[in-house]
Amino acid sequence: MRNIGVIIKKQIKDTLKNKTVLIQFVMFPVLTLIFEHAVSIPDMPELFFTKLFSVMYMGMAPLTSVAAIISEEKEKNTLRVLMMANVKPWEYLAGIGIYVWMICMAGAGIMSTSLPAADIPFFLGVLSCGFFISIVIGACVGIFAPNQMVSTSIVMPVMLIFSFAPMLAMFNDKISMAAKFFYTQQIRLLLDNMTFAGIKPESIAVVAVNSVLAVFLFFVAFKRKGLE
Amino acid sequence: MIFASGIYKSFAGRNVISGIDLDIGPGSIFGLLGPSGAGKTTLIKVITGQLVPDSGDVKVFGRNVSGLTGEDRKKIGIMMDDHGVYGRMSCADNLKIFADIYGVPYHEVFRTLKDVGLEKDAGKPAMKLSKGMRARLQLARVLMISPQILFLDEPTSGLDPMTMKYIHKLILEQKEKGCTVFLTTHNMEEAAALCDEVALLNEGKIVERGAPGQVCRKYNHSKKIRIHLTTGEDIELAHDEGSAGKIMELMSEGCVETIHSSEPTLETVFLELTGRKLDCTEEMLYA
């Protein structure tokens, strides 16, 4: 357990000096605050930017940052040094996952300041599930990719599909048909209702299936590649 | 401290290590010499448990390497040639990560940085360090834990002579503290200066082993004494009692500029045994 804490501490120190990862965590919460307070369009749904950007944030930030962190450590051989220092692979992955989840939840907390206080638990609860799935998918990419270049080329299309599909689904029925199988789209629909009572079973089912698939892919990737 | 018996390891059908036996006692420096591609790094990875051998036994601290506990591993420092540092983080922060993992107090971080001559650079990001400074930081990372066994893979490869000398001093200090050092190198001067015992590795096999001086004397076939005279002339005399009179005569006449016995270096022993030079790469061999 101590090693998980060490990994989290290391990542906090590193992220403060890593602008490319830091910007992913900060960009959407800041944009949400700016747009919600500065942009007002007639007939625009309530809290439009908070709901839209939070789903994009969920599909983008955890996925790209986890993949980038793991692949960078592999490329620079610092991951091997950690393994040689008796840090177990699961401790490392748990440390990275918890760290990214905590940072993303802090970002979601900032975004939630635009919401009525009663909606905040629902908003954070739903997003936390989405962050979990994105983190696991990001870990799959990080484990599979031998270096940052491969990681970026894999993570970009995956991230674009998951984060932009919900937005594009608003304008195109065909995309909407396909997007309904993605956890990001179902979470957007859940955020539209913003009530525990309004949760539809199909949304739960899609999010659960996405979770199971992500975890299955993670174990397949880890079994094949390990952390070397 | 380190025992290996009948180690074989192959990759894609090619034998990289063939039948290696080792028995390294505590408090000594063991040097594995060989050119690039000889199997040095593979052997160090097998001994440290990073690679599983195809056959053979490896014991460290009297235990099979695969069965070492976390506590055992905390007594082993490993500095591999390709191990990285966290570039964006400072030297001190780089060491603090491992201090946290090993449970080493932070004052040891700064003491170790001082030992390796990086105390003024403690706050400097590792990416801004020179190659020699980075090597010292990597060494600091393993020295900080006060290891009982130290594995060093080409610790001075590509470094300037000053940094090399500094690292040699640090390695010898570890030996004085009772640490067992296993180092790989293709630098025969380094091996001769540091090691109590060397093994010459070629194409995965140990072709000769022993104390550096002993190995050199064993291959001293010519047994000559070479004298460079003040006149600029070079003469060679047999290395036996018959030459004593002549040498004394030259010395008393003040004609001797330099005088050397002809025993070979580790480099020439390796060349004699394998037909390869120690700094020969695989590409050069097959060119």
Side-chain angles (χ1 to χ4, degrees):
Chain A
M1 286 302 283
R2 189 174 73 175
N3 287 345
I4 296 174
V6 173
I7 299 298
I8 294 171
K9 194 171 158 187
K10 168 188 86 69
Q11 275 314 130
I12 291 169
K13 280 184 184 174
D14 193 48
T15 303
L16 292 173
K17 290 166 186 171
N18 187 352
K19 291 185 187 75
T20 50
V21 170
L22 193 60
I23 205 161
Q24 290 174 38
F25 290 135
V26 174
M27 184 174 68
F28 280 108
V30 170
L31 283 177
T32 303
L33 290 183
I34 294 170
F35 276 66
E36 280 295 349
H37 292 96
V39 179
S40 177
I41 302 167
D43 299 329
M44 188 174 71
E46 198 185 2
L47 300 166
F48 175 78
F49 290 114
T50 304
K51 290 171 183 174
L52 178 68
F53 286 163
S54 59
V55 171
M56 290 173 82
Y57 183 53
M58 179 188 69
M60 206 179 276
L63 210 154
T64 50
S65 56
V66 169
I69 290 166
I70 297 174
S71 58
E72 185 185 12
E73 292 237 38
K74 282 166 85 173
E75 185 176 316
K76 295 188 174 164
N77 263 323
T78 46
L79 187 53
R80 181 167 290 190
V81 185
L82 289 174
M83 299 295 117
M84 294 308 302
N86 213 28
V87 174
K88 305 278 185 297
W90 71 266
E91 290 175 325
Y92 173 78
L93 291 168
I96 299 295
I98 292 168
Y99 155 77
V100 171
W101 186 85
M102 286 192 313
I103 299 277
C104 287
M105 285 304 287
I110 294 168
M111 290 169 137
S112 72
T113 54
S114 309
L115 297 168
D119 290 341
I120 291 174
F122 181 87
F123 178 80
L124 293 179
V126 167
L127 280 186
S128 72
C129 294
F131 289 145
F132 169 76
I133 301 172
S134 294
I135 286 167
V136 176
I137 297 170
C140 292
V141 177
I143 289 167
F144 184 78
N147 54 48
Q148 290 184 90
M149 194 183 276
V150 176
S151 167
T152 308
S153 59
I154 297 172
V155 93
M156 282 305 281
V158 177
M159 176 268 283
L160 287 173
I161 290 168
F162 283 130
S163 58
F164 284 97
M167 185 177 71
L168 297 173
M170 289 192 279
F171 311 112
N172 185 304
D173 287 342
K174 283 182 183 169
I175 293 175
S176 177
M177 286 291 286
K180 70 181 180 188
F181 297 107
F182 300 152
Y183 68 103
T184 44
Q185 169 69 352
Q186 290 302 329
I187 284 174
R188 191 188 73 80
L189 296 173
L190 289 171
L191 291 180
D192 279 345
N193 286 328
M194 204 63 94
T195 57
F196 286 104
I199 294 174
K200 290 178 182 166
E202 65 201 58
S203 295
I204 299 281
V206 170
V207 172
V209 168
N210 275 237
S211 305
V212 170
L213 273 175
V215 171
F216 174 74
L217 275 176
F218 170 81
F219 280 110
V220 169
F222 187 75
K223 201 173 178 192
R224 275 195 175 184
K225 294 279 211 173
L227 265 186
E228 290 299 314
Chain B
M1 288 295 251
I2 303 166
F3 176 82
S5 164
I7 303 296
Y8 284 84
K9 181 73 189 171
S10 61
F11 293 109
R14 183 186 161 222
N15 276 340
V16 180
I17 293 174
S18 304
I20 300 284
D21 300 311
L22 295 170
D23 191 358
I24 303 166
S28 63
I29 301 182
F30 178 86
L32 191 63
L33 267 99
S36 300
K40 302 188 296 293
T41 302
T42 304
L43 182 58
I44 217 169
K45 283 184 175 175
V46 167
I47 294 171
T48 54
Q50 296 176 68
L51 284 175
V52 179
D54 297 338
S55 63
D57 287 326
V58 180
K59 285 182 179 166
V60 178
F61 297 125
R63 280 201 197 92
N64 195 299
V65 72
S66 58
L68 289 179
T69 62
E71 283 307 306
D72 290 330
R73 292 194 178 276
K74 283 183 178 179
K75 297 178 210 159
I76 302 173
I78 303 169
M79 177 185 163
M80 300 298 285
D81 191 26
D82 59 358
H83 278 182
V85 293
Y86 292 100
R88 287 180 293 270
M89 295 170 77
S90 69
C91 296
D93 282 343
N94 262 281
L95 295 194
K96 280 177 184 173
I97 296 168
F98 294 89
D100 286 339
I101 292 170
Y102 286 101
V104 174
Y106 281 173
H107 63 79
E108 284 295 313
V109 166
F110 295 99
R111 186 194 60 77
T112 313
L113 282 172
K114 193 178 172 190
D115 286 349
V116 300
L118 288 175
E119 75 270 34
K120 285 180 186 163
D121 302 290
K124 199 180 207 178
M127 67 169 77
K128 291 188 177 168
L129 300 177
S130 67
K131 194 177 177 186
M133 290 161 91
R134 197 173 295 197
R136 280 186 277 151
L137 178 62
Q138 286 172 314
L139 194 57
R141 191 162 60 191
V142 291
L143 298 185
M144 180 182 66
I145 62 169
S146 304
Q148 288 183 20
I149 300 180
L150 194 53
F151 289 96
L152 305 170
D153 186 23
E154 307 261 2
T156 58
S157 177
L159 299 182
D160 62 276
M162 281 297 286
T163 310
M164 201 185 280
K165 225 170 180 179
Y166 198 89
I167 288 178
H168 287 174
K169 180 179 147 270
L170 294 170
I171 294 170
L172 288 169
E173 279 171 9
Q174 288 304 303
K175 185 195 165 188
E176 281 168 25
K177 288 177 187 169
C179 176
T180 304
V181 183
F182 183 111
L183 73 90
T184 70
T185 181
H186 59 253
N187 182 337
M188 58 100 185
E189 284 170 13
E190 180 169 83
L194 294 176
C195 299
D196 300 302
E197 188 186 357
V198 292
L200 307 183
L201 190 71
N202 185 50
E203 293 175 4
K205 290 177 187 157
I206 291 179
V207 290
E208 188 54 86
R209 68 202 308 164
Q214 186 192 355
V215 170
C216 293
R217 283 192 296 278
K218 186 176 168 186
Y219 289 87
N220 186 8
H221 307 303
S222 60
K223 294 197 173 159
K224 298 273 185 192
I225 288 175
R226 294 195 183 93
I227 301 172
H228 182 74
L229 302 177
T230 48
T231 56
E233 192 188 348
D234 288 314
I235 60 168
E236 264 188 8
L237 299 170
H239 192 160
D240 57 28
E241 60 274 17
S243 304
K246 177 72 177 168
I247 293 168
M248 217 140 99
E249 184 189 319
L250 289 166
M251 293 285 267
S252 58
E253 286 169 5
C255 301
V256 177
E257 185 84 43
T258 61
I259 179 164
H260 294 286
S261 54
S262 68
E263 65 264 23
T265 61
L266 290 170
E267 175 83 50
T268 48
V269 171
F270 192 84
L271 188 64
E272 181 183 331
L273 289 168
T274 67
R276 294 175 73 179
K277 284 186 170 183
L278 278 168
D279 56 4
C280 165
T281 62
E282 273 187 301
E283 291 76 27
M284 287 159 76
L285 181 70
Y286 297 113

Short mmCIF file of all heavy atoms in Angstrom, two decimals, chain B residues 76-115:
data_model
loop_
_atom_site.label_atom_id
_atom_site.label_comp_id
_atom_site.label_asym_id
_atom_site.label_seq_id
_atom_site.Cartn_x
_atom_site.Cartn_y
_atom_site.Cartn_z
N ILE B 76 19.79 -5.00 -2.43
CA ILE B 76 20.46 -5.12 -3.72
C ILE B 76 20.26 -3.82 -4.51
O ILE B 76 19.13 -3.36 -4.69
CB ILE B 76 19.87 -6.30 -4.54
CG1 ILE B 76 20.03 -7.60 -3.76
CG2 ILE B 76 20.55 -6.39 -5.90
CD1 ILE B 76 19.34 -8.80 -4.41
N GLY B 77 21.36 -3.24 -4.96
CA GLY B 77 21.30 -2.04 -5.81
C GLY B 77 21.63 -2.43 -7.23
O GLY B 77 22.62 -3.12 -7.47
N ILE B 78 20.78 -2.01 -8.16
CA ILE B 78 21.01 -2.37 -9.57
C ILE B 78 21.04 -1.11 -10.42
O ILE B 78 20.08 -0.33 -10.42
CB ILE B 78 19.90 -3.32 -10.09
CG1 ILE B 78 19.81 -4.57 -9.20
CG2 ILE B 78 20.16 -3.71 -11.54
CD1 ILE B 78 18.60 -5.42 -9.47
N MET B 79 22.14 -0.90 -11.10
CA MET B 79 22.25 0.25 -12.00
C MET B 79 22.50 -0.30 -13.40
O MET B 79 23.60 -0.74 -13.71
CB MET B 79 23.40 1.16 -11.58
CG MET B 79 23.62 2.34 -12.49
SD MET B 79 25.10 3.24 -11.97
CE MET B 79 25.43 4.21 -13.43
N MET B 80 21.47 -0.31 -14.20
CA MET B 80 21.62 -0.82 -15.56
C MET B 80 21.94 0.34 -16.50
O MET B 80 21.56 1.49 -16.24
CB MET B 80 20.33 -1.52 -16.03
CG MET B 80 19.90 -2.71 -15.19
SD MET B 80 21.09 -4.07 -15.20
CE MET B 80 20.82 -4.75 -16.82
N ASP B 81 22.58 -0.01 -17.60
CA ASP B 81 22.99 0.97 -18.59
C ASP B 81 21.81 1.81 -19.11
O ASP B 81 21.92 3.00 -19.34
CB ASP B 81 23.64 0.19 -19.75
CG ASP B 81 24.36 1.09 -20.72
OD1 ASP B 81 24.77 2.17 -20.28
OD2 ASP B 81 24.50 0.71 -21.89
N ASP B 82 20.65 1.14 -19.26
CA ASP B 82 19.52 1.82 -19.91
C ASP B 82 18.48 2.35 -18.91
O ASP B 82 17.42 2.80 -19.31
CB ASP B 82 18.83 0.86 -20.90
CG ASP B 82 18.33 -0.41 -20.23
OD1 ASP B 82 18.55 -0.58 -19.02
OD2 ASP B 82 17.72 -1.24 -20.93
N HIS B 83 18.79 2.28 -17.62
CA HIS B 83 17.80 2.77 -16.64
C HIS B 83 17.70 4.28 -16.69
O HIS B 83 18.71 4.97 -16.73
CB HIS B 83 18.19 2.32 -15.23
CG HIS B 83 17.75 0.92 -14.93
ND1 HIS B 83 17.96 0.32 -13.71
CD2 HIS B 83 17.10 0.01 -15.69
CE1 HIS B 83 17.46 -0.90 -13.75
NE2 HIS B 83 16.95 -1.11 -14.92
N GLY B 84 16.46 4.77 -16.66
CA GLY B 84 16.27 6.20 -16.81
C GLY B 84 16.08 6.93 -15.49
O GLY B 84 16.03 6.31 -14.43
N VAL B 85 16.00 8.25 -15.62
CA VAL B 85 15.67 9.09 -14.47
C VAL B 85 14.45 9.93 -14.85
O VAL B 85 14.12 10.04 -16.04
CB VAL B 85 16.85 10.02 -14.07
CG1 VAL B 85 18.02 9.23 -13.55
CG2 VAL B 85 17.28 10.90 -15.23
N TYR B 86 13.79 10.49 -13.86
CA TYR B 86 12.63 11.34 -14.14
C TYR B 86 13.13 12.73 -14.51
O TYR B 86 13.54 13.50 -13.64
CB TYR B 86 11.69 11.39 -12.93
CG TYR B 86 11.02 10.06 -12.68
CD1 TYR B 86 11.48 9.19 -11.71
CD2 TYR B 86 9.95 9.67 -13.46
CE1 TYR B 86 10.88 7.95 -11.52
CE2 TYR B 86 9.33 8.43 -13.27
CZ TYR B 86 9.80 7.59 -12.31
OH TYR B 86 9.20 6.37 -12.13
N GLY B 87 13.13 13.00 -15.82
CA GLY B 87 13.77 14.21 -16.35
C GLY B 87 13.22 15.51 -15.84
O GLY B 87 13.97 16.46 -15.61
N ARG B 88 11.92 15.60 -15.66
CA ARG B 88 11.33 16.87 -15.23
C ARG B 88 11.53 17.12 -13.74
O ARG B 88 11.44 18.24 -13.27
CB ARG B 88 9.82 16.88 -15.54
CG ARG B 88 9.48 17.04 -17.00
CD ARG B 88 7.99 17.02 -17.21
NE ARG B 88 7.41 15.73 -16.90
CZ ARG B 88 7.25 14.74 -17.77
NH1 ARG B 88 7.59 14.91 -19.03
NH2 ARG B 88 6.72 13.60 -17.41
N MET B 89 11.81 16.05 -13.00
CA MET B 89 11.94 16.21 -11.55
C MET B 89 13.38 16.51 -11.17
O MET B 89 14.31 16.14 -11.89
CB MET B 89 11.46 14.93 -10.86
CG MET B 89 9.97 14.71 -11.07
SD MET B 89 9.40 13.11 -10.54
CE MET B 89 9.35 13.35 -8.80
N SER B 90 13.55 17.16 -10.03
CA SER B 90 14.89 17.52 -9.59
C SER B 90 15.66 16.27 -9.13
O SER B 90 15.06 15.21 -8.90
CB SER B 90 14.79 18.50 -8.42
OG SER B 90 14.29 17.84 -7.28
N CYS B 91 16.98 16.44 -8.99
CA CYS B 91 17.81 15.32 -8.53
C CYS B 91 17.31 14.82 -7.17
O CYS B 91 17.17 13.60 -6.96
CB CYS B 91 19.26 15.77 -8.39
SG CYS B 91 20.00 16.25 -9.94
N ALA B 92 17.04 15.76 -6.27
CA ALA B 92 16.58 15.38 -4.93
C ALA B 92 15.25 14.64 -5.00
O ALA B 92 15.08 13.61 -4.34
CB ALA B 92 16.47 16.61 -4.04
N ASP B 93 14.32 15.14 -5.83
CA ASP B 93 13.02 14.48 -5.95
C ASP B 93 13.15 13.09 -6.56
O ASP B 93 12.40 12.17 -6.20
CB ASP B 93 12.05 15.34 -6.77
CG ASP B 93 11.48 16.49 -5.96
OD1 ASP B 93 11.56 16.43 -4.71
OD2 ASP B 93 10.97 17.46 -6.56
N ASN B 94 14.08 12.96 -7.52
CA ASN B 94 14.33 11.63 -8.10
C ASN B 94 14.71 10.63 -7.02
O ASN B 94 14.25 9.50 -7.01
CB ASN B 94 15.46 11.72 -9.14
CG ASN B 94 14.93 11.82 -10.55
OD1 ASN B 94 14.53 10.82 -11.15
ND2 ASN B 94 14.90 13.03 -11.08
N LEU B 95 15.60 11.08 -6.11
CA LEU B 95 16.05 10.17 -5.05
C LEU B 95 14.97 9.98 -3.98
O LEU B 95 14.85 8.90 -3.40
CB LEU B 95 17.33 10.70 -4.39
CG LEU B 95 18.59 10.77 -5.28
CD1 LEU B 95 19.82 10.97 -4.41
CD2 LEU B 95 18.77 9.54 -6.13
N LYS B 96 14.18 11.03 -3.75
CA LYS B 96 13.15 10.93 -2.71
C LYS B 96 12.10 9.86 -3.04
O LYS B 96 11.57 9.21 -2.14
CB LYS B 96 12.45 12.28 -2.50
CG LYS B 96 13.26 13.24 -1.63
CD LYS B 96 12.57 14.58 -1.53
CE LYS B 96 13.40 15.57 -0.75
NZ LYS B 96 12.81 16.92 -0.79
N ILE B 97 11.83 9.68 -4.34
CA ILE B 97 10.87 8.62 -4.73
C ILE B 97 11.36 7.28 -4.18
O ILE B 97 10.61 6.52 -3.57
CB ILE B 97 10.78 8.52 -6.28
CG1 ILE B 97 10.20 9.81 -6.88
CG2 ILE B 97 9.93 7.32 -6.70
CD1 ILE B 97 10.35 9.88 -8.39
N PHE B 98 12.66 7.03 -4.40
CA PHE B 98 13.21 5.73 -3.99
C PHE B 98 13.47 5.68 -2.48
O PHE B 98 13.40 4.60 -1.89
CB PHE B 98 14.44 5.40 -4.84
CG PHE B 98 14.06 5.19 -6.28
CD1 PHE B 98 14.03 6.26 -7.17
CD2 PHE B 98 13.63 3.96 -6.71
CE1 PHE B 98 13.60 6.09 -8.47
CE2 PHE B 98 13.20 3.78 -8.01
CZ PHE B 98 13.18 4.84 -8.90
N ALA B 99 13.72 6.85 -1.90
CA ALA B 99 13.84 6.89 -0.44
C ALA B 99 12.50 6.48 0.18
O ALA B 99 12.46 5.73 1.16
CB ALA B 99 14.23 8.30 0.01
N ASP B 100 11.40 6.96 -0.41
CA ASP B 100 10.06 6.59 0.08
C ASP B 100 9.82 5.09 -0.09
O ASP B 100 9.27 4.43 0.79
CB ASP B 100 8.98 7.37 -0.67
CG ASP B 100 8.91 8.83 -0.25
OD1 ASP B 100 9.39 9.14 0.85
OD2 ASP B 100 8.41 9.66 -1.04
N ILE B 101 10.21 4.56 -1.24
CA ILE B 101 9.97 3.13 -1.50
C ILE B 101 10.79 2.26 -0.54
O ILE B 101 10.28 1.29 0.02
CB ILE B 101 10.33 2.78 -2.97
CG1 ILE B 101 9.33 3.45 -3.94
CG2 ILE B 101 10.35 1.27 -3.21
CD1 ILE B 101 9.71 3.37 -5.40
N TYR B 102 12.06 2.64 -0.34
CA TYR B 102 12.95 1.82 0.49
C TYR B 102 12.88 2.18 1.98
O TYR B 102 13.53 1.54 2.80
CB TYR B 102 14.39 1.97 0.01
CG TYR B 102 14.69 1.24 -1.28
CD1 TYR B 102 14.74 1.92 -2.49
CD2 TYR B 102 14.91 -0.14 -1.30
CE1 TYR B 102 15.01 1.25 -3.68
CE2 TYR B 102 15.18 -0.81 -2.48
CZ TYR B 102 15.23 -0.11 -3.66
OH TYR B 102 15.49 -0.78 -4.83
N GLY B 103 12.14 3.23 2.29
CA GLY B 103 12.05 3.66 3.69
C GLY B 103 13.34 4.30 4.19
O GLY B 103 13.70 4.15 5.36
N VAL B 104 14.03 5.00 3.29
CA VAL B 104 15.28 5.68 3.67
C VAL B 104 14.94 7.12 4.09
O VAL B 104 14.17 7.79 3.39
CB VAL B 104 16.26 5.71 2.45
CG1 VAL B 104 17.49 6.53 2.74
CG2 VAL B 104 16.63 4.29 2.05
N PRO B 105 15.49 7.60 5.22
CA PRO B 105 15.17 8.99 5.63
C PRO B 105 15.73 10.01 4.62
O PRO B 105 16.76 9.75 3.98
CB PRO B 105 15.85 9.13 6.99
CG PRO B 105 16.78 7.99 7.11
CD PRO B 105 16.32 6.91 6.21
N TYR B 106 15.04 11.15 4.51
CA TYR B 106 15.41 12.14 3.48
C TYR B 106 16.81 12.72 3.67
O TYR B 106 17.42 13.17 2.71
CB TYR B 106 14.38 13.27 3.44
CG TYR B 106 13.10 12.92 2.69
CD1 TYR B 106 12.01 13.78 2.69
CD2 TYR B 106 12.99 11.73 1.98
CE1 TYR B 106 10.84 13.46 2.01
CE2 TYR B 106 11.83 11.40 1.30
CZ TYR B 106 10.75 12.27 1.32
OH TYR B 106 9.61 11.95 0.64
N HIS B 107 17.32 12.73 4.93
CA HIS B 107 18.67 13.30 5.09
C HIS B 107 19.71 12.45 4.35
O HIS B 107 20.75 12.95 3.93
CB HIS B 107 19.03 13.50 6.57
CG HIS B 107 19.10 12.23 7.38
ND1 HIS B 107 20.19 11.39 7.34
CD2 HIS B 107 18.21 11.67 8.23
CE1 HIS B 107 19.96 10.36 8.15
NE2 HIS B 107 18.77 10.52 8.69
N GLU B 108 19.37 11.16 4.14
CA GLU B 108 20.27 10.28 3.36
C GLU B 108 20.31 10.70 1.89
O GLU B 108 21.31 10.52 1.20
CB GLU B 108 19.80 8.82 3.46
CG GLU B 108 20.13 8.15 4.78
CD GLU B 108 21.63 7.99 5.00
OE1 GLU B 108 22.33 7.54 4.09
OE2 GLU B 108 22.09 8.36 6.10
N VAL B 109 19.18 11.25 1.42
CA VAL B 109 19.11 11.73 0.03
C VAL B 109 20.18 12.79 -0.19
O VAL B 109 20.97 12.73 -1.15
CB VAL B 109 17.70 12.30 -0.27
CG1 VAL B 109 17.69 13.10 -1.57
CG2 VAL B 109 16.67 11.18 -0.32
N PHE B 110 20.22 13.75 0.72
CA PHE B 110 21.15 14.87 0.56
C PHE B 110 22.59 14.44 0.84
O PHE B 110 23.52 14.92 0.21
CB PHE B 110 20.70 16.05 1.43
CG PHE B 110 19.38 16.59 0.97
CD1 PHE B 110 18.19 16.24 1.60
CD2 PHE B 110 19.30 17.41 -0.15
CE1 PHE B 110 16.97 16.70 1.13
CE2 PHE B 110 18.08 17.88 -0.63
CZ PHE B 110 16.91 17.52 0.02
N ARG B 111 22.74 13.49 1.77
CA ARG B 111 24.09 12.98 2.04
C ARG B 111 24.62 12.26 0.79
O ARG B 111 25.77 12.44 0.39
CB ARG B 111 24.06 12.01 3.24
CG ARG B 111 25.46 11.55 3.67
CD ARG B 111 25.40 10.35 4.61
NE ARG B 111 24.76 9.19 4.03
CZ ARG B 111 25.32 8.38 3.14
NH1 ARG B 111 26.54 8.60 2.71
NH2 ARG B 111 24.65 7.35 2.67
N THR B 112 23.76 11.46 0.16
CA THR B 112 24.20 10.71 -1.02
C THR B 112 24.49 11.66 -2.19
O THR B 112 25.47 11.46 -2.92
CB THR B 112 23.13 9.67 -1.44
OG1 THR B 112 22.70 8.98 -0.29
CG2 THR B 112 23.68 8.69 -2.45
N LEU B 113 23.65 12.69 -2.33
CA LEU B 113 23.91 13.66 -3.40
C LEU B 113 25.27 14.33 -3.18
O LEU B 113 26.01 14.60 -4.13
CB LEU B 113 22.80 14.72 -3.45
CG LEU B 113 21.50 14.27 -4.13
CD1 LEU B 113 20.42 15.34 -3.95
CD2 LEU B 113 21.70 14.00 -5.61
N LYS B 114 25.59 14.57 -1.91
CA LYS B 114 26.89 15.16 -1.58
C LYS B 114 28.01 14.16 -1.92
O LYS B 114 29.03 14.54 -2.51
CB LYS B 114 26.92 15.52 -0.08
CG LYS B 114 28.08 16.40 0.30
CD LYS B 114 28.02 16.75 1.77
CE LYS B 114 29.29 17.48 2.17
NZ LYS B 114 29.41 17.64 3.59
N ASP B 115 27.78 12.90 -1.58
CA ASP B 115 28.79 11.87 -1.86
C ASP B 115 29.13 11.77 -3.35
O ASP B 115 30.27 11.50 -3.72
CB ASP B 115 28.30 10.48 -1.38
CG ASP B 115 28.36 10.35 0.12
OD1 ASP B 115 28.96 11.23 0.77
OD2 ASP B 115 27.80 9.37 0.65
#
